[in-house]
Amino acid sequence: MGLCFSRKSAVKKRPSKRLTNQSTAVGGGGTGSNRWSRFRSSKKDDSFAQDRALAAAILFQQQLQNGGRVPFDRSTSMRYSNCKSKKNQALPRSSSSRSRSLTDPLLQPHQLVNKELTIDDLETNHFVLVHGGGFGAWCWYKTIALLEEAGFKVTAVDLTGSGIHSFDTNNITSLSQYAKPLTDFLEKLADGEKVILVGHDFGGACISFAMELYPSKVSKAIFVAATMLISGQSALDIFSDKTNSNDLMRQSQVFLYANGNDKPPTAIDLDKSLLRDLLFNHSPAKDVALASVSMRPIPFSPVLEKLPLSNIKYGSIRRFYVETTEDNAIPIALQQSMINQNPPERVFHLKGADHSPFFSKPQALHKILVEISRIPPI
């Protein structure tokens, strides 16, 4: 909108030599032929679009017949693959308008796929994305698109009182209540079905809680700039030693007292004017704008809760940590402190990533997630 396109002046071309016995389109020369080619291409596109629409309608009707209702899925991973897409087509570009750095290159499919190992050969091709405190499933939109284009199945959950979940954040009194949408999802998985859990920020505590409850349903756990607790520890314990040194975090916090000022806080909100510096210091402006109108308060009680974790359950699941080197919310020193206290199987580094790598380094994060998914079972 608002852009003006000017036509270039026509350049006369030398008349091409006409070949004998060569058919020409009605209307004269190449012009008619080009017009006919464009018409055929348009007809193919229309036919393909109609096929896709028909397939979607059939799927919708089958779901109505089988279950009587169509489940609401935050992800679009159940769509049909585009069988007519061009081979070696590049993955979709990030919506970022920034110039792409060497640490976040545009990846081609052959760089992500082990040719000796197909997605069907993996222990699981299903990612479950768990957002951090204040965020929602919406924050994973780039990651969802990239993973789906690579052939993975993706589910992004809204934790209680987050995203479009309608529950009042101030009324959340426990970690189990906060993480219930995640645990409900895992509980309903078919016997033998496994997923890869990905937790960001306080979502790390939530996936740890779920790992303890359903260890047989989790193939791997990936902590992305996340709270990775040890048994008997709370998220508040992790931050307490670093609170004084993180002035920006302290300045950004706005405590809410829904039960009265003489009672403990019920939630923590974040000062919108400090969001960019705290969470999105390397993220595109459009994503910062999305976050500023989408983020909700963080329930306070779950942050205080000490989490019991056992070696036989939580400890049996393979863990991986993704460091964000330019993180102002959970600084790299704090991330490394958690890693040293509770060492995962491997640590990955996202250079130049802020606290929200799904915005600031979506391609590089995607590459790491795919790489972890392809690590074979021990």
Side-chain angles (χ1 to χ4, degrees), residues 127-133 135 139-140 155 157 159 182 196-208 211 218 220-228 320-324 330 338 355 357-358 365 369:
F127 281 93
V128 176
L129 309 178
V130 183
H131 62 80
F135 291 84
C139 72
W140 297 105
T155 300
V157 299
L159 299 176
L182 172 61
I196 298 174
L197 290 181
V198 182
H200 170 249
D201 185 79
F202 188 58
C206 296
I207 68 171
S208 297
M211 290 158 66
V218 182
K220 299 181 180 78
I222 306 173
F223 294 76
V224 181
T227 52
M228 189 168 61
F320 303 84
Y321 200 97
V322 181
E323 292 181 343
T324 45
I330 304 182
M338 289 187 287
H355 187 61
F358 36 75
L365 174 61
L369 296 181

Side-chain angles (χ1 to χ4, degrees), residues 63-339:
Q63 289 176 325
L64 288 177
Q65 292 174 353
N66 292 337
R69 55 179 295 186
V70 180
F72 176 67
D73 189 357
R74 294 281 299 175
S75 167
T76 57
S77 59
M78 298 305 294
R79 64 190 175 183
Y80 288 98
S81 60
N82 186 350
C83 300
K84 296 186 179 182
S85 61
K86 296 180 181 179
K87 294 183 178 180
N88 298 326
Q89 185 177 9
L91 293 174
R93 291 184 177 271
S94 161
S95 61
S96 168
S97 59
R98 300 173 295 120
S99 57
R100 192 172 301 279
S101 68
L102 294 178
T103 59
D104 187 25
L106 180 64
L107 304 173
Q108 300 298 323
H110 70 271
Q111 294 175 284
L112 298 175
V113 178
N114 182 343
K115 296 180 180 179
E116 298 178 356
L117 187 66
T118 66
I119 288 180
D120 293 335
D121 295 328
L122 300 177
E123 183 179 15
T124 179
N125 67 349
H126 190 173
F127 281 93
V128 176
L129 309 178
V130 183
H131 62 80
F135 291 84
W138 52 266
C139 72
W140 297 105
Y141 78 94
K142 293 180 182 179
T143 302
I144 291 171
L146 290 170
L147 287 172
E148 287 181 345
E149 290 297 331
F152 290 91
K153 182 178 178 179
V154 189
T155 300
V157 299
D158 275 322
L159 299 176
T160 304
S162 304
I164 63 171
H165 196 285
S166 59
F167 197 84
D168 184 355
T169 306
N170 292 289
N171 294 329
I172 298 173
T173 58
S174 67
L175 183 57
S176 62
Q177 183 184 11
Y178 182 56
K180 194 173 187 300
L182 172 61
T183 55
D184 284 350
F185 174 82
L186 293 176
E187 184 179 7
K188 294 175 184 177
L189 286 177
D191 292 340
E193 185 177 355
K194 292 189 174 186
V195 299
I196 298 174
L197 290 181
V198 182
H200 170 249
D201 185 79
F202 188 58
C206 296
I207 68 171
S208 297
F209 178 79
M211 290 158 66
E212 182 69 18
L213 288 180
Y214 300 102
S216 64
K217 297 187 176 184
V218 182
S219 169
K220 299 181 180 78
I222 306 173
F223 294 76
V224 181
T227 52
M228 189 168 61
L229 309 176
I230 60 176
S231 185
Q233 191 177 41
S234 70
L236 184 63
D237 292 334
I238 289 179
F239 289 101
S240 60
D241 295 336
K242 302 291 182 181
T243 301
N244 293 332
S245 62
N246 193 343
D247 291 335
L248 184 57
M249 172 63 79
R250 190 173 65 255
Q251 294 170 11
S252 302
Q253 293 175 344
V254 180
F255 288 93
L256 305 180
Y257 297 85
N259 297 327
N261 293 335
D262 58 335
K263 301 292 178 59
T266 52
I268 307 169
D269 207 353
L270 296 175
D271 187 336
K272 295 294 190 292
S273 66
L274 298 176
L275 278 183
R276 175 184 286 277
D277 291 337
L278 181 67
L279 305 176
F280 312 110
N281 44 299
H282 287 292
S283 295
K286 65 180 78 174
D287 293 324
V288 180
L290 170 65
S292 67
V293 297
S294 303
M295 294 193 71
R296 295 176 63 180
I298 306 163
F300 189 63
S301 292
V303 177
L304 300 176
E305 190 169 329
K306 296 183 183 296
L307 188 60
L309 301 170
S310 66
N311 289 330
I312 195 172
K313 294 181 178 180
Y314 167 86
S316 67
I317 299 171
R318 305 172 73 180
R319 289 178 294 112
F320 303 84
Y321 200 97
V322 181
E323 292 181 343
T324 45
T325 61
E326 303 297 324
D327 196 324
N328 288 339
I330 304 182
I332 187 65
L334 181 53
Q335 295 179 45
Q336 292 172 348
S337 176
M338 289 187 287
I339 291 168

Side-chain angles (χ1 to χ4, degrees), residues 49-65 70 80:
Q50 291 171 1
D51 291 344
R52 292 287 295 275
L54 179 60
I58 293 173
L59 176 61
F60 182 84
Q61 185 63 32
Q62 289 175 343
Q63 289 176 325
L64 288 177
Q65 292 174 353
V70 180
Y80 288 98

